[in-house]
């Protein structure tokens, strides 16, 4: 399982990485903005993406829209400080599978990641 | 400044530090920013634009900033650590985002974090908008949160207090 973490804060990426490692995932790639993330995605689509909203160069919502142009199936979790309902709806419309608002506890992050992966695996098995 | 804005920021400060740093915050009485601006070593700044314009600034001493960054990151972060500014900028980002989502009916964008690191500096903001200083104390020491926000559209359009 290859996971792409996209956030301009390295501190956040490190926290996310620790949670993923605790869940047994070590195949992790990082990107600090949407441009780098899209280049990584284009070369080798990951099995899961965790995406921040506010980043330089290309923000997360633009990245997700671009990814969804060609790939409808990669599970994408948005992890952001943007907490308004309107933003959550905008992200769902863009194609996210789950949404985590910062600040988050490591437990809630772990749960949402497991939830999203279980759903994606279930959907893949059913199809 | 409308007290409801101040309360939204206070709530967001407490939630951010408790959740990310496991550090309860005791908030003191908010004061109008006067002429003797607080001297600070680290300032994490997030700007607002859209239906409201302004900024929120977290002011720390080096010592408190390092302790807070360490609790947040889960590894020792000294002021020389490459992630020092990153960690403090992201905390300001969360404080701004948490407050912003309480301003229902307002469409506000936040800037990327800017972090100023330098012994004993002060940050001057526009004299046109009132600024409030919120004193905060934690087990890591005290810090100050400065907020300044003006509406760019009529206040009637705003309903506060809504939570996701
Ligand atoms: Mg960000």
């Amino acid at each position: 399982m290859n996971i792409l973490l996209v956030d301009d804060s390295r501190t956040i990426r490190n926290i996310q990485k620790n949670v993923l490692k605790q869940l047994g995932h070590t195949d992790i790639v990082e990107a600090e903005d949407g441009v780098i993330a899209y280049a990584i995605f284009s070369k080798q689509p990951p099995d899961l993406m965790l995406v921040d909203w506010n980043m330089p160069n290309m923000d997360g919502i633009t990245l997700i829209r671009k990814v969804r142009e060609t790939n409808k199936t990669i599970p994408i979790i948005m992890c952001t400080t943007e907490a308004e309902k309107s933003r959550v709806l905008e992200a769902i419309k863009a194609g996210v599978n789950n949404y985590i608002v910062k600040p988050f506890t490591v437990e809630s992050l772990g749960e949402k990641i497991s939830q999203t992966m279980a759903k994606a695996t279930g959907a893949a098995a059913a199809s | 400044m409308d007290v409801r804005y101040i309360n939204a920021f206070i709530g967001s400060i407490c939630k951010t530090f408790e959740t990310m740093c496991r550090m309860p915050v005791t908030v003191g009485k908010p004061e109008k920013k006067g002429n003797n601006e607080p001297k600070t070593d680290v300032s994490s700044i997030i700007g607002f634009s859209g239906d409201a314009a302004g900024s929120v600034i977290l002011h720390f001493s080096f010592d408190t900033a390092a302790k807070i960054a360490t609790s947040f990151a889960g590894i020792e972060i000294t002021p020389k650590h490459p992630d020092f500014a990153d960690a403090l900028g992201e905390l300001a980002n969360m404080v701004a985002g948490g407050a912003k989502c309480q301003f229902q009916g307002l469409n506000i964008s936040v800037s990327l974090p800017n972090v100023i690191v330098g012994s004993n500096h002060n940050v001057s903001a526009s004299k046109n908008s009132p600024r409030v200083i919120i004193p905060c104390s934690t087990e890591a020491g005290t810090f100050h949160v400065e907020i300044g926000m003006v509406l760019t559209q009529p206040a009637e359009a705003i309903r506060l207090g809504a939570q996701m």
Side-chain angles (χ1 to χ4, degrees):
Chain A
M1 168 85 78
N2 173 254
I3 299 166
L4 174 56
L5 302 182
V6 194
D7 198 303
D8 57 331
S9 166
R10 188 158 56 186
T11 309
I12 290 292
R13 297 199 308 270
N14 285 339
I15 292 170
Q16 292 172 339
K17 244 190 322 196
N18 286 338
V19 172
L20 286 167
K21 279 181 186 161
Q22 278 170 26
L23 293 172
H25 302 289
T26 50
D27 185 7
I28 299 162
V29 186
E30 297 176 47
E32 60 190 51
D33 65 35
V35 174
I36 297 170
Y38 191 73
I40 294 170
F41 159 81
S42 302
K43 258 194 181 165
Q44 172 74 57
D47 301 305
L48 175 79
M49 288 173 74
L50 217 59
V51 180
D52 181 23
W53 192 307
N54 294 310
M55 296 181 288
N57 305 320
M58 186 198 290
D59 64 19
I61 195 81
T62 310
L63 169 67
I64 291 164
R65 288 191 187 115
K66 274 179 79 84
V67 166
R68 286 293 185 236
E69 279 172 16
T70 57
N71 190 311
K72 307 278 185 217
T73 55
I74 293 181
I76 303 177
I77 304 174
M78 190 135 217
C79 181
T80 174
T81 56
E82 296 290 335
E84 292 95 321
K85 245 183 215 156
S86 57
R87 300 288 157 118
V88 180
L89 291 174
E90 195 180 341
I92 292 170
K93 236 177 113 185
V96 300
N97 301 78
N98 220 329
Y99 202 98
I100 302 167
V101 174
K102 299 175 185 170
F104 54 80
T105 61
V106 291
E107 293 80 16
S108 67
L109 179 64
E111 253 169 52
K112 292 235 175 167
I113 291 170
S114 303
Q115 233 178 52
T116 310
M117 284 176 169
K119 256 195 193 167
T121 322
S127 68
Chain B
M1 201 177 337
D2 193 316
V3 71
R4 290 172 301 178
Y5 293 147
I6 300 171
N7 288 337
F9 279 98
I10 290 174
S12 183
I13 294 162
C14 293
K15 190 174 178 197
T16 298
F17 282 81
E18 259 186 60
T19 310
M20 298 312 306
C21 309
R22 292 154 302 278
M23 214 177 255
V25 179
T26 308
V27 175
K29 191 171 177 286
E31 305 260 8
K32 245 183 165 168
K33 188 177 182 182
N35 289 330
N36 55 347
E37 303 182 352
K39 288 275 195 283
T40 173
D41 299 328
V42 184
S43 302
S44 308
I45 308 171
I46 300 285
F48 297 109
S49 59
D51 292 341
S55 59
V56 55
I57 311 176
L58 274 52
H59 296 287
F60 307 96
S61 69
F62 278 126
D63 182 56
T64 302
K67 284 178 182 155
I68 286 172
T70 295
S71 294
F72 175 32
I75 51 165
E76 198 187 355
I77 306 270
T78 64
K80 295 233 174 334
H81 193 283
D83 293 347
F84 180 71
D86 176 275
L88 297 158
E90 188 63 16
L91 285 172
N93 192 22
M94 291 184 200
V95 168
K100 171 172 99 90
C101 81
Q102 308 265 328
F103 308 150
Q104 206 191 29
L106 282 187
N107 191 6
I108 303 174
S109 296
V110 291
S111 74
L112 297 170
N114 281 298
V115 181
I116 301 168
V117 180
S119 192
N120 224 17
H121 67 263
N122 60 33
V123 179
S124 298
S126 162
K127 298 277 181 277
N128 299 328
S129 69
R131 304 195 62 86
V132 170
I133 304 272
I134 305 169
C136 298
S137 98
T138 68
E139 61 185 40
T142 58
F143 64 95
H144 294 85
V145 178
E146 174 179 345
I147 49 177
M149 247 179 67
V150 284
L151 293 183
T152 56
Q153 66 159 26
E156 310 82 73
I158 308 161
R159 287 170 292 123
L160 287 168
Q163 279 238 288
M164 270 257 314

